[in-house]
Amino acid sequence: MYGHILIVDGDVSVRGKISDFLEEKGYSCKGVSNVKDALKEIEEGKYDLIIWDLRLPGLNGMEILKNLKKRDINIPVILTSTLKDINSVRAALKEGAVDYITKPIHYHDLENSVKFSLERKKLKEMEKQFKEKLEGEIERQKKKIHDQYLHGIIGLIKIVEERDQYTKGHSQRVSDLAVKIAVNMEMDNVMVTKVKIAGLLHDIGVIAIPDSILKKSGVLNKEEMSIVRKHPVIGVELLSYFISDNEILNIVKHHHERWDGKGYPDGLEGDAIPLGSRILAVADAYDAMTFPRPYREMFSKEEAIKELEKHSGSQFDREVVEKAVKIINTQA
Ligand SMILES: [Fe+2]
Ligand SMILES: [Fe+2]
């Protein structure tokens, strides 16, 4: 039943009268005479309301309010007192008492106060439950929309890769290797997920590169190369319609930067390049080397590792290469 009330008062007759009156009104009551028993009851029982004597020795009304607040116990407290001191009333309400009743008690006032306090508590609980339910639902919907977007974008990546037999599966493989490197570099889970997503999407901007350049078997000329070099920025422009996370967008944007600052699009150098991009750069290069391309022979695992190590500290972050090589060597 809603309406379990704890009455804390040193006067046995006051306790008895309050208890009898409220039980007659349908509430269930328990009366205690001292602080020790009261705190034990609060600790163990499930009370909806406390009626506490302001002048109770040991822990007065004001102190119990502070005590409950400190322990994050949200049970409304009605204070009772023989004092008709407006300052005490004000202080008690300020401290969180739901009401203040003067003794001798007018039972009609007490009944109204109890009723009002319990209804307010119930409403607060309902509001809290509703808020939690709503927040949970919003989170679920947000995740659903996010997953749907991601599926859509990954679908788009597949279309891009389908255009060219040499890049099929490239993004997935880059993402997989990048995640392993990120975990090995002890990035936190949130960042690992961002690296994973950025890995899957890093070449989405390739969609804007014409087939004549994408599928060209010879070396690209200067003009063609400048078109190819636009793909990270175009990719970010496209992705920003779906993704608002700046860290993911930045990883994508800078996946062709070089440790020595000679990369693109911004010529960032060293630590100024997001770590996720430095990881993608290594994973990307390894995949490009170990899968066939129309313009050159495929590298063996050992040859690709040699290449990564050769450009470690110039093109690539040394630490990333070191971790990547360790991972690649353990792969079949
Ligand atoms: Fe790329
Ligand atoms: Fe790539």
Side-chain angles (χ1 to χ4, degrees):
M1 178 214 167
Y2 200 81
H4 199 35
I5 301 170
L6 180 67
I7 302 157
V8 189
D9 200 300
D11 187 328
V12 65
S13 77
V14 172
R15 269 199 327 271
K17 278 182 196 162
I18 296 176
S19 184
D20 290 348
F21 173 77
L22 292 176
E23 288 203 333
E24 210 172 283
K25 299 290 173 193
Y27 301 106
S28 93
C29 298
K30 166 107 190 190
V32 291
S33 64
N34 58 66
V35 173
K36 197 177 154 213
D37 291 349
L39 292 179
K40 197 167 164 252
E41 283 297 326
I42 293 168
E43 210 63 65
E44 292 170 2
K46 283 198 178 297
Y47 290 95
D48 302 308
L49 181 70
I50 301 170
I51 299 174
W52 190 287
D53 178 18
L54 181 70
R55 283 300 175 100
L56 192 77
L59 196 67
N60 68 38
M62 300 301 281
E63 286 163 343
I64 185 63
L65 292 169
K66 284 182 189 157
N67 185 295
L68 294 180
K69 207 192 274 177
K70 212 166 104 190
R71 290 192 291 154
D72 210 21
I73 296 176
N74 291 311
I75 309 174
V77 178
I78 296 173
L79 291 178
T80 60
S81 172
T82 47
L83 282 175
K84 275 192 181 168
D85 174 5
I86 189 72
N87 285 333
S88 300
V89 178
R90 209 176 276 148
L93 295 175
K94 201 174 157 203
E95 211 50 64
V98 287
D99 206 356
Y100 186 100
I101 288 175
T102 51
K103 290 177 183 172
I105 289 168
H106 293 284
Y107 286 96
H108 179 67
D109 291 349
L110 179 68
E111 187 187 0
N112 282 341
S113 179
V114 166
K115 219 183 204 171
F116 174 74
S117 303
L118 288 174
E119 270 167 15
R120 206 163 76 148
K121 181 175 187 274
K122 207 170 188 176
L123 274 175
K124 268 191 180 170
E125 282 170 5
M126 279 164 69
E127 190 187 326
K128 194 174 160 227
Q129 278 170 8
F130 180 70
K131 217 173 140 202
E132 279 169 5
K133 210 172 148 193
L134 197 69
E135 279 169 358
E137 188 54 35
I138 289 171
E139 274 313 304
R140 265 193 298 282
Q141 289 301 331
K142 259 165 78 176
K143 192 176 177 308
K144 203 170 149 192
I145 291 168
H146 176 264
D147 289 352
Q148 279 169 350
Y149 268 136
L150 204 58
H151 271 107
I153 301 167
I154 290 167
L156 218 60
I157 276 287
K158 290 218 160 80
I159 295 170
V160 174
E161 290 181 350
E162 282 297 324
R163 284 172 63 201
D164 179 4
Q165 55 164 318
Y166 297 104
T167 56
K168 221 182 228 179
H170 167 70
S171 302
Q172 185 67 58
R173 290 191 301 271
V174 169
S175 177
D176 290 347
L177 179 56
V179 163
K180 286 179 190 158
I181 301 171
V183 170
N184 219 271
M185 294 194 79
E186 291 176 3
M187 283 178 112
D188 64 53
N189 286 346
V190 175
M191 276 315 292
V192 171
T193 306
K194 290 183 187 192
V195 168
K196 177 183 173 181
I197 296 170
L200 287 169
L201 307 174
H202 75 282
D203 276 338
I204 185 90
V206 168
I207 205 162
I209 301 174
D211 274 2
S212 57
I213 298 176
L214 197 67
K215 295 179 180 176
K216 189 175 173 180
S217 54
V219 178
L220 299 180
N221 63 37
K222 219 175 155 190
E223 198 188 328
E224 290 165 337
M225 192 51 100
S226 81
I227 293 170
V228 168
R229 285 178 164 223
K230 284 180 184 161
H231 80 271
V233 172
I234 293 170
V236 167
E237 276 171 21
L238 276 172
L239 292 175
S240 57
Y241 287 103
F242 312 101
I243 289 177
S244 57
D245 188 300
N246 278 330
E247 281 178 313
I248 295 178
L249 296 177
N250 266 333
I251 297 174
V252 171
K253 185 177 175 189
H254 297 294
H255 76 273
H256 281 293
E257 302 286 0
R258 291 173 51 118
W259 183 256
D260 58 11
K262 291 178 184 165
Y264 60 91
D266 292 341
L268 297 183
E269 204 178 327
D271 287 342
I273 307 164
L275 177 56
S277 308
R278 283 180 263 150
I279 291 174
L280 277 196
V282 172
D284 191 29
Y286 178 74
D287 191 74
M289 287 189 279
T290 51
F291 275 80
R293 285 292 194 270
Y295 45 86
R296 59 152 176 73
E297 285 294 302
M298 195 177 112
F299 280 35
S300 71
K301 184 166 109 177
E302 291 69 27
E303 285 168 332
I305 287 175
K306 250 189 204 161
E307 277 300 299
L308 289 180
E309 284 173 336
K310 187 174 151 195
H311 298 286
S312 173
S314 53
Q315 186 175 350
F316 306 119
D317 179 340
R318 282 183 197 282
E319 206 190 333
V320 176
V321 171
E322 203 181 292
K323 305 281 182 197
V325 168
K326 221 161 82 185
I327 292 161
I328 294 163
N329 274 328
T330 58
Q331 286 173 342

